[in-house]
Amino acid sequence: MSLHSFGLEPLSCHAWNKDRTQIALSPNNNVVNIYEKKGKDWLKIHELTEHSGRITGIDWAPESNRIVTCASDRNAYVWTLKDGVWKPTLVLVRINRAATCVKWSPLENKFALGSGARLISVCYFEKENDWWLSKHIKKSIRSTVLSLDWHPNNILLAAGSADLHCRVFSTYIKDIEEKPGPTAWGAKMPFGELLLEHKDCGGWVHSVSFSPSGDQLAWVAHNSSITVADAAQGKEVTQLTTDLLPLLGVLFVNPTEIVAAGHDCCPYQFSYRGPQALEFVKKLDIPKQTSKGSLSAMQHFRNLDKKATEEDNNELGTLHQNSIMQLCIVSGEKAKVEKFSSVGLDGAMVIWAFKH
């Protein structure tokens, strides 16, 4: 694992390019910075400035090399690289509240955008008018959409929301794609069809992730729980409530193993073997050994007086010194992730190796 610091500002979201030589980050403001790896250092090579509100989501399409960004200014832009400069195209998302998250579909012919307007915009490119259009999924969403993830079939979309629900929708747009075949989640798939609605998740649903096959869906909620719904087993739901602080990001790293991270500042591994067989495996952060210097007697009593403790450090024993906001795959396929990255409120990005 390796830690890279990008300053003191919190990192709210990040995305990698196809060969993982560049990373797009937002330091919790209205700008996206693109860094390139040079030896051991990261050099800033581009700055994407078009948004007027705080950036809430970035996604980088590997094949078409397009970046989509969304922000609290209720806009989304698709960026394309022309002659060494990133050019923005405004997307007609038609929302009246802040955008919260954005994700390219696996085939990169559309993307989904969650927002505080209690809807999901599924955006696709219309060739005739040469612009990005959106269709809305509003059905039964009662609050802000906080997280999205695509099923490998490019049609189904999972959404976690602040109304304590986790849902799976169909996003089939007949203008741009073939009719989808049946899946374990359901066979009828008109646009906006609700294929799963799990009612009481116990808290805001911060992150959702489909398994490599797409037959399982994992999510983490603000009551410190991690849950898996299994479509192969009749959509049976298995919930594990942990004694950790709430988790904010979740990622399938192979068909049975799940990595999640959040306010505890380090990633944890969970294992799902089938209905009612979801368990905590281990903490993936190896605590740092702090060298204890010899304290003078005076310093010792001064610490006792000031801080009611003998110790003189306020560092956490984890690599990240503040909450982890997001997890991303760095190398390997979703079926066997070799490395994944995390960004946190401490302004750091860490690349973790996962041993199978």
Side-chain angles (χ1 to χ4, degrees):
M1 45 196 171
S2 54
L3 182 136
H4 309 275
S5 184
F6 290 94
L8 298 172
E9 289 301 314
L11 298 178
S12 43
C13 45
H14 73 306
W16 295 87
N17 71 342
K18 187 183 179 181
D19 59 5
R20 303 303 190 249
T21 53
Q22 294 178 16
I23 184 170
L25 299 159
S26 174
N28 205 36
N29 59 13
N30 62 341
V31 176
V32 175
N33 294 324
I34 299 179
Y35 293 87
E36 189 170 33
K37 183 103 194 227
K38 285 272 164 64
K40 283 191 172 178
D41 297 328
W42 291 90
L43 286 178
K44 184 152 100 171
I45 53 168
H46 296 291
E47 207 170 89
L48 312 186
T49 54
E50 194 68 32
H51 285 287
S52 57
R54 188 176 74 87
I55 306 268
T56 52
I58 307 170
D59 203 15
W60 199 326
E63 301 306 325
S64 56
N65 197 35
R66 289 190 297 231
I67 298 175
V68 61
T69 58
C70 68
S72 57
D73 59 6
R74 311 188 299 279
N75 284 329
Y77 290 97
V78 173
W79 303 79
T80 39
L81 190 62
K82 282 188 184 143
D83 310 324
V85 181
W86 287 96
K87 291 276 190 338
T89 314
L90 182 66
V91 183
L92 299 172
V93 284
R94 312 196 319 274
I95 53 176
N96 57 2
R97 295 287 182 276
T100 48
C101 48
V102 68
K103 269 273 179 13
W104 281 108
S105 68
L107 294 179
E108 301 172 20
N109 59 347
K110 54 187 176 180
F111 62 87
L113 177 104
S115 71
R118 303 199 299 273
L119 54 87
I120 299 165
S121 301
V122 180
C123 309
Y124 61 99
F125 191 71
E126 196 187 50
K127 286 205 172 72
E128 288 119 54
N129 295 326
D130 193 36
W131 61 4
W132 289 88
L133 274 183
S134 67
K135 290 183 82 163
H136 285 174
I137 298 174
K138 290 190 179 126
K139 194 184 285 180
S140 74
I141 303 173
R142 297 270 173 277
S143 186
T144 305
V145 178
L146 296 174
S147 50
L148 298 167
D149 195 36
W150 286 91
H151 187 283
N153 75 351
N154 205 63
I155 301 292
L156 301 185
L157 179 72
S161 159
D163 60 6
L164 322 191
H165 284 52
C166 190
R167 301 178 176 87
V168 174
F169 293 103
S170 160
T171 66
Y172 165 57
I173 298 170
K174 61 176 187 286
D175 301 352
I176 61 164
E177 51 204 346
E178 302 288 305
K179 201 168 188 226
T183 67
W185 296 96
K188 273 186 74 182
M189 290 193 232
F191 182 84
E193 181 75 12
L194 185 62
L195 298 162
L196 170 83
E197 180 170 47
H198 185 66
K199 287 194 166 55
D200 194 24
C201 297
W204 289 13
V205 181
H206 287 301
S207 181
V208 289
S209 177
F210 272 111
S211 65
S213 67
D215 287 351
Q216 290 80 31
L217 173 70
W219 66 84
V220 289
H222 203 74
N223 64 341
S224 304
S225 67
I226 176 167
T227 314
V228 176
D230 199 333
Q233 305 287 337
K235 300 188 188 175
E236 191 168 335
V237 173
T238 308
Q239 187 172 47
L240 173 69
T241 308
T242 66
D243 55 358
L244 311 167
L245 292 177
L247 299 157
L248 298 175
V250 65
L251 198 61
F252 263 99
V253 288
N254 67 25
T256 60
E257 304 306 303
I258 303 166
V259 167
H263 289 297
D264 267 317
C265 314
C266 66
Y268 296 97
Q269 182 184 343
F270 297 88
S271 170
Y272 177 75
R273 304 274 171 202
Q276 309 312 316
L278 175 62
E279 53 197 33
F280 174 73
V281 181
K282 63 174 192 269
K283 185 176 169 177
L284 295 175
D285 198 335
I286 292 97
K288 287 187 292 216
Q289 296 297 322
T290 48
S291 54
K292 254 192 147 175
S294 52
L295 284 176
S296 66
M298 186 176 172
Q299 190 64 40
H300 175 91
F301 285 111
R302 190 181 282 156
N303 285 345
L304 270 178
D305 182 39
K306 254 188 180 169
K307 303 176 181 171
T309 169
E310 296 177 20
E311 275 160 23
D312 197 22
N313 72 338
N314 52 4
E315 269 199 20
L316 297 176
T318 52
L319 268 179
H320 275 288
Q321 292 298 303
N322 207 330
S323 307
I324 293 173
M325 297 305 286
Q326 193 194 20
L327 299 173
C328 262
I329 296 172
V330 176
S331 67
E333 289 296 306
K334 208 173 189 177
K336 194 176 182 193
V337 173
E338 287 146 18
K339 286 181 183 168
F340 63 95
S341 61
S342 60
V343 292
L345 293 179
D346 54 352
M349 185 272 294
V350 180
I351 297 175
W352 310 83
F354 186 84
K355 293 180 180 67
H356 291 273

